[in-house]
Amino acid sequence: CLASSLAMDTTMPELGAFYDGFQASQIFCQGVTYTYDDIILHPGHINFGAETVDLSSKLSKNVPLGVPMVSSPMDTVTGGRMAAAMASLGAMGVVHYNQTTEEQVAAVREACTFRRLYDVNMPCLSTSATVADVLALRGNHARGDNVDVLVTEGGQMGGKLLGVVTNRDVEFVNDTATSLEEVMTRELITVEAGAAAEQAYAQLAACKKGVLPVVDASGNAVAALARADLRSLRACPAAPAPPSARSDGRLLVAAAIGTREDDKARAAALAAAGACAVVLDSSQGDSTFQLNMLRYLKGAHPNLDVICGNVVTGAQALRLIQAGADGLRVGMGSGSICTTQEVCAVGRGQATAVYHVGRVARHEGVPFMADGGIQNSGNITKALALGASAVMCGSMFAGTEEAPGEFFMYEGKRVKRYRGMGSLEAMQQGSDTRYLSDKSRLKIAQGVSGAVADKGSVYKTIPFLTHAVKQGFQDFGAKSLADAHAKLDAGGLRMECRSGASQKEGNVHDMVAYTKRAW
């Protein structure tokens, strides 16, 4: 069949130069909009190891990324703790703005100064507190019933360290009215606040204590290292890239804002707190509101990168880029909790949106994030291969230990709340500005609220996701993000559309029972 078709078509190239599959331009210019699952990439030639793949990229013109993954500015995804963890792993977090300016600034400041294992929220009590006060903390702290307490002057972090109370100190005390002055351990081993991380970890491992207070030059408690946290650290894979940080060691953290007049003051406060970039958060970013805010911010804060969006067409992207955008968010209605396409009949398949915006953004030299529709490492690989500089994830990181909120049990499963910023529940707290409906009497939901299963820690998730993406790049023959984009533009990255049967075949099938584990 192949021989007869070659004989009939004298323009067909020699077999040695024959390419099957299609270029991206052939796939995405047919009047059909595609999601990631609709596309499959063809394998390329492998002459390098997966571990050598370079995924370093940029969040925006002036903000580098070692890992091209960003946590979404949703109030059930990215607070200060998530932003700090993402930056520690070489990625990035965007702190949500569905909170007061003071709360958001505090979260940014906390993330910027974060040092892994340094618990600045370790419970502190005064000497006049009682054993009952310690027992009351059980179950209300990140470590559950295993509560260690710093005893300080005034009972606050930052006060002079006087002692430590651990479970061993209160375990067999029958009178819970006993003051901590009577039971606390006074002979302490401490570590100086300026000590290198490796030195502090080694000292914690060697001291055989459950907690190692961190003190400044005046003997004031500023943090604590806990043995339980060190065990957790050692159980995690190594970070896939150096931390996203400034030269002074402070972590890089971005923050979201709206486009209202009072967001100008919020942006100034966030910049002063250390935010490296602000994200103008809107479901439809091609608006006069966003253009006006962009121009204001570039004039008032020239050293602050401004990321605009969301957009899904090249024309939208070009308008924002020409107005001065340092980066873009791409996606409309593709998130797992988003109903914009259903409710408003506006949006685009995410794979198609990424490709078409990417053509414009690369030509203009502006990085962009593929925001939404990411369900697995394969989707990340496709988004990056189709032109994205990074991916922004919501549901992927919701339900992790670092995401805001508490775990609870639902139908026998440990879950966390997860909601779209277009849900009525989120809108009632202020996110309606994102949908330009804060002035409307009627609120129309463009998202849902629900729960997602416990996903563990991003300290485990990010390293495994990163390596899976590197393996994908190895399979289609790209040594780096720049190499992938060059192949995309030159037509060397070949792909096809998948039928429904092909998608089914590409997943687990014909099994009576199985356990699917990503890693």
Side-chain angles (χ1 to χ4, degrees), residues 88-435:
S88 297
L89 293 162
M92 186 72 65
V94 183
V95 178
H96 75 90
Y97 75 107
N98 204 22
Q99 55 188 328
T100 67
T101 298
E102 293 74 20
E103 290 170 336
Q104 190 181 22
V105 165
V108 168
R109 188 174 289 116
E110 172 193 343
C112 287
T113 58
F114 173 81
R115 293 181 70 186
R116 193 170 178 183
L117 285 191
Y118 281 64
D119 187 355
V120 296
N121 297 312
M122 176 76 73
C124 295
L125 295 171
S126 66
T127 53
S128 61
T130 65
V131 171
D133 295 322
V134 175
L135 298 179
L137 292 170
R138 289 184 170 180
N140 296 315
H141 190 260
R143 298 185 190 87
D145 290 343
N146 187 28
V147 176
D148 300 311
V149 175
L150 302 184
V151 182
T152 65
E153 287 183 358
Q156 299 289 331
M157 187 67 76
K160 189 171 183 63
L161 180 66
L162 302 175
V164 170
V165 175
T166 68
N167 283 345
R168 296 176 184 177
D169 296 313
V170 300
E171 190 174 13
F172 298 113
V173 177
N174 295 321
D175 183 4
T176 57
T178 304
S179 71
L180 299 190
E181 189 170 19
E182 297 181 42
V183 300
M184 69 182 185
T185 300
R186 300 173 185 271
E187 297 179 2
L188 303 175
I189 299 175
T190 62
V191 62
E192 293 184 5
E198 294 76 11
Q199 175 188 340
Y201 301 163
Q203 192 170 341
L204 175 62
C207 74
K208 300 181 180 179
K209 300 290 184 181
V211 61
L212 184 64
V214 181
V215 297
D216 61 18
S218 301
N220 299 317
V222 295
L225 301 173
R227 185 171 292 274
D229 292 340
L230 182 59
R231 284 196 297 268
S232 176
L233 172 65
R234 289 183 170 179
C236 294
S244 301
R246 293 180 170 86
S247 58
D248 62 2
R250 289 188 302 156
L251 297 179
L252 294 174
V253 179
I257 63 171
T259 56
R260 300 309 185 199
E261 189 64 28
D262 56 0
D263 285 302
K264 294 178 180 178
R266 183 186 287 261
L270 291 169
C276 63
V278 291
V279 175
L280 300 186
D281 193 25
S282 175
S283 63
Q284 214 285 51
D286 185 14
S287 68
T288 56
F289 309 109
Q290 192 153 134
L291 290 170
N292 291 338
M293 179 61 79
L294 171 60
R295 294 187 184 105
Y296 166 79
L297 291 174
K298 295 309 295 180
H301 307 283
N303 296 323
L304 183 68
D305 274 18
V306 182
I307 299 170
C308 298
N310 283 35
V311 297
V312 292
T313 71
Q316 288 181 301
L318 186 59
R319 204 161 7 247
L320 292 170
I321 291 171
Q322 290 176 340
D326 297 303
L328 297 171
R329 285 171 75 185
V330 174
M332 189 174 184
S334 56
S336 66
I337 39 64
C338 188
T339 60
T340 297
Q341 293 185 18
E342 174 188 348
V343 173
C344 300
V346 177
R348 201 173 200 179
Q350 188 66 344
T352 300
V354 168
Y355 172 73
H356 283 291
V357 172
R359 290 193 304 163
V360 174
R362 279 195 306 285
H363 181 267
E364 300 295 325
V366 175
F368 74 93
M369 294 175 283
D371 176 20
I374 300 295
Q375 304 172 48
N376 49 52
S377 59
N379 292 160
I380 298 175
T381 300
K382 292 175 186 178
L384 297 175
L386 291 173
S389 309
V391 294
M392 176 173 274
C393 305
S395 62
M396 182 72 73
F397 301 135
T400 59
E401 293 175 9
E402 294 76 17
E406 301 296 328
F407 287 106
F408 62 95
M409 299 304 294
Y410 177 75
E411 295 184 350
K413 296 181 179 179
R414 193 168 184 251
V415 300
K416 257 189 185 181
R417 289 173 59 251
Y418 178 49
R419 67 187 186 190
M421 298 309 289
S423 66
L424 291 177
E425 183 181 331
M427 282 186 173
Q428 289 167 359
Q429 287 189 230
S431 72
D432 48 359
T433 59
R434 185 178 193 272
Y435 297 85

Side-chain angles (χ1 to χ4, degrees), residues 493-515:
L493 179 63
R494 312 298 286 192
M495 61 193 74
E496 288 176 332
C497 296
R498 296 202 293 175
S499 67
S502 177
Q503 292 183 39
K504 182 178 178 181
E505 182 184 64
N507 287 309
V508 179
H509 56 88
D510 298 329
M511 296 287 291
V512 175
Y514 68 93
T515 299

